[in-house]
């Protein structure tokens, strides 16, 4: 790395307060996209009652998921090609326009279309935030900050249903969407002011046709699940036509992906058994998760008569269970290196929880419901993150990024189908039960009005009240009952997952994948940078690292001198006070270590400025090479010698992770109290 390159990078990257401002704006943007997957759930009963279209309830969720899922790969590659800052700002604007239009919707059709527009922007927010973090944060610190973004998903999972209910109770369901506007505008202004237009530009051949075909067959199949048995008979011409058309589109999509230069989903991945099984299990888990989040608020608000805010509180056990098991399973995998046991245990827990939810009725206690919701969340958290780990552990390096995106892609597609199928089951069963009650119901009885305002039931005789509540309860029970076989299939599939020794890089988990995040799209290089950055953050105490580097490279220097040599070599020349500031020590503390370098002929000192010599540069290159060899051991099995891109990642991270900001202890005098080597 030349002095000019190092200086340019240092100047481009925001530091101090500017860095925290940028990261804060990015976290706000990601929070917006993550919240919109869960915040709508508790508002759905009220939305449907005001706009009508109970049969289309599922599409309020499905439209967002499908648009975000299909657009995510496009945003990622366009950001690589044209600059992430510009694309990120575009995605914020699209998301905000969609949010405003959702709040202004006059009927269900408008809301569904505008939710799709909102999902289009949300997909960009998800993928570009992760990429921009890699642009503005030094490699050694990248893992720590990306971990914070993973926590955003946990916060959104817990707060989303609660916030949605609070807005409905205290303002209007439209504020579920309007709240995005001030937050999004703030994020837009901050990023425009302080986000540098950094990041390498990469030329891509964008697979627009592949993305369009994904939307086509996914929408077709979801329509089959939504309309079949409700608006049309299963054997009617529209349903058969949609099913056949969707299958044809899938065939065309496979052909297109085989010929695409950069396919969204390389067909060769499906030849890998672990990827195919992981995707199928992920589909089932998304089916259960999003279905539960969509229909549990109806159970709580209509059958149990609680307010939207309180229904959000009722869902907290589910979210907390998901958080606990996701984090806990990640820690256990890191410690023991075994991961298959978690989906094997988690999927039957999901099936059991769904069955127990199917036994709930209008007389169920708060404690009973909370325990069942917590059990469902606990099972989900044990499975989602682990499927990503299993797939990453099985595929080759060239497919690492696509496989990671693929698993979360199928979870989102599963969510879309789950919401649609659950919605169809719910509508069918409710219509049948209401028809059975026709003899006791007053003329013109409107189930949707009751769903909006359960207090309307107070106007009717007790027999009517009990009948209607029981009809809703039975309809929702049917939803969860028919979800049990889906979880059962997932359980069977988990037994066929192949478990191989865990790669070192996979011990650096991305907790965002464990909280139901929208699919991200990272290339294999970006995924490897994330994992290695996290592992470097967890590396041993700094002094021991530089001692090991020196010993491995055959350099007889103390740790402080090794650090200083690497830092000066990266800068070319550096004023002595600046070096001391980077080291976090007074200049007199660091002078003995630099003196060793001057005496050895590795560094020249002229008028307070330190300059690397030819022999010093050669020694520094040996140290960089030693660091690179250490990183190579972490990616054992991915053959960097056969992948120039991976080799470049290792070289860049090796240089970037030594001679970086010091913690003060490296250049502290060895005789000073408090030094571990004193």
């Amino acid at each position: 790395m030349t002095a000019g390159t190092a200086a340019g990078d240092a100047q481009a990257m925001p530091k101090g307060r500017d860095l925290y401002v940028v990261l804060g704006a990015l976290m706000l943007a990601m929070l917006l996209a993550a919240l919109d997957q869960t915040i709508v759930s508790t508002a759905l009963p009220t939305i449907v009652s005001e706009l009508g279209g109970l049969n289309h309830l599922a599409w309020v969720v499905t439209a967002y998921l499908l648009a975000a899922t299909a657009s995510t790969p496009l945003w990622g590659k366009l950001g690589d090609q044209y600059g992430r800052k510009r694309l990120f700002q575009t995605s914020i604007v699209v998301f905000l326009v969609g949010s405003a239009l959702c709040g202004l919707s006059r009927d269900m059709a408008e809301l569904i279309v505008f939710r799709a527009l909102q999902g289009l922007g949300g997909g960009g927010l998800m993928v570009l935030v992760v990429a921009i973090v890699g642009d503005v944060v030094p490699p050694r610190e990248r893992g720590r900050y990306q971990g914070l973004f993973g926590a955003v998903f946990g916060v959104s999972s817990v707060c989303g249903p609660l916030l949605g209910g609070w807005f409905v109770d205290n303002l209007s369901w439209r504020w579920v969407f309007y709240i995005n506007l001030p937050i999004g505008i703030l994020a837009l202004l901050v990023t425009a002011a302080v986000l540098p237009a950094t990041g390498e530009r990469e030329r891509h051949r964008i697979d627009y046709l592949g993305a369009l075909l994904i939307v086509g067959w996914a929408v077709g199949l979801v329509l089959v699940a939504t309309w079949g048995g409700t608006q049309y008979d299963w054997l009617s011409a529209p349903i058969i036509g949609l099913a056949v058309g969707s299958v044809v589109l899938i065939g065309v999509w496979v052909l297109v992906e085989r010929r695409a230069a950069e396919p969204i989903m390389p067909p060769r991945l499906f030849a890998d058994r672990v990827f195919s099984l992981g995707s199928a299990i992920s589909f089932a888990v998304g089916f259960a998760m999003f279905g539960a989040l969509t229909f549990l608020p109806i159970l709580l608000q209509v059958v149990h008569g609680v307010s939207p805010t309180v229904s959000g509180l009722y869902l907290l056990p589910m979210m907390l269970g998901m958080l606990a098991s996701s984090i806990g399973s990640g820690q256990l995998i890191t410690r023991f290196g075994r991961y298959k046991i978690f989906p094997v245990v988690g999927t039957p827990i999901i099936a059991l929880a769904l069955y127990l939810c199917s036994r709930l009725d209008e007389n169920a206690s708060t404690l009973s419901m909370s325990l069942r919701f917590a059990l469902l969340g606990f099972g989900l958290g044990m499975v989602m993150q682990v499927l990503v780990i299993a797939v990453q552990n099985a595929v080759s390096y060239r497919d690492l990024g696509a496989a990671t995106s693929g698993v979360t892609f199928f979870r989102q597609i599963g969510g879309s189908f789950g919401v649609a199928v659950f919605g169809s089951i719910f509508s069918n069963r409710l219509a049948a039960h209401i028809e059975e009650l026709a003899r006791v119901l007053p003329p013109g009885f409107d189930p949707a009005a009751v769903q909006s305002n359960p207090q309307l039931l107070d106007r009717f005789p007790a027999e009517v009240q009990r009948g209607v509540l029981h009809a809703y309860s039975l309809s929702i029970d049917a939803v969860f009952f028919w979800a049990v076989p889906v979880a059962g299939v997932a359980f069977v599939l988990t037994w066929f997952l192949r478990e191989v020794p865990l790669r070192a890089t996979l011990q650096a988990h991305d907790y965002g994948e464990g909280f139901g995040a929208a699919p991200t799209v990272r290339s294999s290089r970006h995924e490897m940078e994330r994992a290695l950055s996290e592992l470097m953050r967890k590396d041993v105490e700094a002094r021991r690292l530089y001692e090991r580097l020196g010993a491995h490279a055959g350099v007889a220097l103390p740790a402080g001198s090794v650090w200083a040599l690497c830092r000066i070599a990266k800068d070319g020349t550096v004023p002595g006070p600046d070096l001391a500031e980077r080291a976090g020590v007074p200049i007199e503390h660091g002078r003995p270590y630099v003196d060793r370098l001057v005496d050895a002929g590795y560094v020249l000192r002229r008028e307070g400025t330190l300059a690397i010599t030819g022999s010093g540069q050669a020694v520094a290159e040996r140290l960089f090479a030693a660091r690179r060899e250490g990183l190579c051991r972490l990616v054992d099995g991915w053959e960097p010698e056969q992948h120039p891109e991976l080799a470049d990642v290792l070289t860049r991270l090796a240089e970037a992770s030594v001679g970086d900001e010091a913690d003060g202890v490296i250049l502290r005098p060895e005789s000073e109290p408090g030094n571990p080597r004193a």
Side-chain angles (χ1 to χ4, degrees):
M1 179 180 291
T2 66
T5 303
D9 289 346
Q11 184 176 8
M13 284 190 177
K15 295 182 179 180
R17 189 184 69 175
D18 285 346
L19 176 60
Y20 290 115
V21 170
V22 169
L23 292 175
L26 294 176
M27 291 177 75
L28 279 177
M30 180 166 278
L31 182 63
L32 289 176
L35 271 177
D36 260 72
Q37 297 181 77
T38 57
I39 195 173
V40 176
S41 59
T42 46
L44 275 177
T46 306
I47 292 173
V48 170
S49 67
E50 182 172 324
L51 299 183
L54 178 62
N55 293 340
H56 305 304
L57 174 146
W59 280 98
V60 178
V61 178
T62 301
Y64 184 92
L65 293 179
L66 282 178
T69 301
S71 67
T72 295
L74 301 183
W75 283 112
K77 290 184 177 181
L78 288 171
D80 288 344
Q81 187 162 318
Y82 297 108
R84 284 186 270 273
K85 177 177 180 177
R86 182 186 308 169
L87 265 292
F88 181 60
Q89 291 171 324
T90 301
S91 68
I92 293 178
V93 171
V94 171
F95 184 83
L96 294 182
V97 170
S99 297
L101 292 174
C102 284
L104 295 171
S105 298
R106 296 166 297 180
D107 55 45
M108 189 62 80
E110 287 187 0
L111 179 60
I112 290 170
V113 171
F114 298 147
R115 278 286 282 171
L117 179 62
Q118 193 185 30
L120 182 66
L125 292 180
M126 288 288 187
V127 63
L128 293 172
V129 162
V130 174
I132 291 171
V133 171
D135 289 341
V136 301
V137 175
R140 188 174 178 83
E141 298 299 316
R142 200 168 294 161
R144 178 176 64 172
Y145 290 114
Q146 287 179 336
L148 292 176
F149 284 86
V152 170
F153 291 109
V155 171
S156 67
S157 296
V158 172
C159 296
L162 186 59
L163 281 175
W166 188 88
F167 284 132
V168 171
D169 277 340
N170 296 278
L171 295 170
S172 161
W173 65 263
R174 299 178 187 275
W175 275 94
V176 167
F177 304 108
Y178 290 152
I179 190 60
N180 294 330
L181 300 180
I183 300 175
I185 290 171
L186 176 62
L188 186 63
L189 293 175
V190 172
T191 52
V194 299
L195 182 64
T198 57
E200 300 174 8
R201 299 291 179 91
E202 301 176 41
R203 297 294 301 176
H204 288 287
R205 297 182 66 179
I206 311 298
D207 186 16
Y208 294 109
L209 182 56
L212 186 62
L213 288 169
I214 286 176
V215 174
W217 63 253
V219 170
L221 291 176
V222 171
L223 283 174
V224 170
T226 305
W227 287 346
T230 53
Q231 291 187 245
Y232 304 99
D233 291 333
W234 283 105
L235 297 179
S236 65
I239 296 300
I240 294 176
L242 278 171
V244 172
S246 298
V247 172
V248 170
L249 286 177
I250 290 175
V252 175
W253 175 64
V254 171
L255 293 176
V256 168
E257 294 298 90
R258 283 179 175 173
R259 298 181 180 182
E262 296 185 42
I264 288 178
M265 190 74 61
R268 64 176 177 269
L269 278 176
F270 294 96
D272 187 291
R273 199 172 93 176
V274 174
F275 177 80
S276 298
L277 286 171
S279 297
I281 299 167
S282 191
F283 180 94
V285 169
F287 195 106
M289 175 183 171
F290 287 102
L293 277 176
T294 301
F295 289 92
L296 281 177
I298 298 178
L299 171 71
L300 294 167
Q301 294 178 35
V302 177
V303 178
H304 290 273
V306 303
S307 69
T309 302
V310 174
S311 72
L313 288 172
Y314 272 80
L315 292 177
L316 284 182
M318 177 181 171
M319 300 307 176
L320 293 175
M322 191 187 305
L323 283 171
S325 60
S326 181
I327 294 173
S329 62
Q331 296 296 322
L332 290 172
I333 290 170
T334 298
R335 182 171 181 179
F336 297 107
R338 306 299 295 270
Y339 55 85
K340 180 176 177 177
I341 185 64
F342 294 102
V344 169
V345 173
T347 45
I349 289 177
I350 294 171
L352 175 62
L354 289 169
Y355 175 75
L356 293 175
C357 287
S358 76
R359 310 302 296 172
L360 291 172
D361 58 24
E362 59 271 25
N363 300 313
S365 67
T366 299
L367 177 60
S368 174
M369 291 189 290
S370 297
L371 290 175
R372 296 173 201 220
F373 299 164
L375 187 66
L376 178 59
F378 191 81
L380 289 169
M382 292 182 72
V383 179
M384 290 191 293
Q385 173 185 234
V386 181
L387 292 174
V388 176
I389 294 172
V391 168
Q392 288 180 329
N393 204 46
V395 300
S396 63
Y397 169 76
R398 67 172 179 167
D399 290 329
L400 180 61
T404 304
S405 304
V407 175
T408 49
F409 169 86
F410 279 103
R411 185 168 71 218
Q412 299 300 105
I413 292 291
S416 301
F417 278 84
V419 174
V421 171
F422 282 8
S424 181
I425 293 172
F426 172 73
S427 298
N428 278 335
R429 299 309 302 160
L430 182 60
H433 290 308
I434 292 296
E435 187 176 341
E436 291 174 5
L437 289 172
R439 58 183 177 78
V440 298
L441 293 177
F445 178 82
D446 183 5
V450 172
Q451 188 168 309
S452 166
N453 184 8
Q455 283 72 32
L456 290 177
L457 280 177
D458 296 338
R459 305 175 183 177
F460 301 111
E463 182 183 7
V464 173
Q465 295 180 35
R466 288 193 299 269
V468 172
L469 292 179
H470 194 58
Y472 268 94
S473 178
L474 290 176
S475 303
I476 295 172
D477 286 350
V479 164
F480 292 108
F481 180 80
W482 286 106
V484 174
V486 178
V489 170
F491 171 62
V492 173
L493 293 176
T494 59
W495 285 95
F496 295 95
L497 269 179
R498 178 168 52 91
E499 183 172 45
V500 295
L502 193 66
R503 301 177 191 268
T505 47
L506 297 181
Q507 296 180 13
H509 306 308
D510 183 357
Y511 285 109
E513 300 293 358
F515 302 140
T520 57
V521 55
R522 288 189 287 259
S523 65
S524 297
R525 187 195 71 192
H526 291 151
E527 187 61 35
M528 189 58 64
E529 283 183 338
R530 182 203 63 79
L532 289 174
S533 297
E534 176 66 12
L535 289 174
M536 288 189 297
R537 184 178 71 86
K538 296 178 178 179
D539 210 341
V540 295
E541 183 262 325
R543 180 182 289 275
R544 287 181 55 202
L545 169 64
Y546 287 100
E547 286 174 347
R548 286 206 326 268
L549 279 179
H552 189 73
V555 178
L557 290 172
S561 296
V562 171
W563 177 87
L565 179 61
C566 291
R567 183 67 255 171
I568 297 169
K570 289 167 71 171
D571 288 341
T573 59
V574 58
D578 289 357
L579 184 67
E581 182 180 354
R582 278 186 175 275
V585 298
I587 192 170
E588 59 271 15
H589 286 187
R591 184 174 289 115
Y593 295 100
V594 177
D595 288 343
R596 296 282 293 267
L597 300 177
V598 173
D599 293 342
Y602 299 151
V603 170
L604 292 177
R605 181 188 283 126
R606 293 175 180 169
E607 299 179 355
T609 298
L610 305 170
I612 194 74
T613 65
S615 59
Q617 187 68 46
V619 172
E621 294 298 333
R622 283 159 50 194
L623 292 168
F624 293 142
R627 179 57 166 162
R628 187 183 185 281
E629 288 178 23
L631 294 180
C632 282
R633 288 191 289 273
L634 295 177
V635 298
D636 182 42
W638 267 318
E639 302 172 327
E641 64 278 2
Q642 296 184 18
H643 299 284
E645 178 187 78
L646 178 56
D648 178 64
V649 168
L650 293 171
T651 299
R652 289 193 299 104
L653 288 180
E655 294 186 4
S657 63
V658 292
D660 208 344
E661 304 292 338
D663 60 3
V665 74
I666 303 176
L667 271 69
R668 185 181 296 163
E670 298 191 3
S671 61
E672 182 179 328
N675 190 321
R677 293 178 53 83

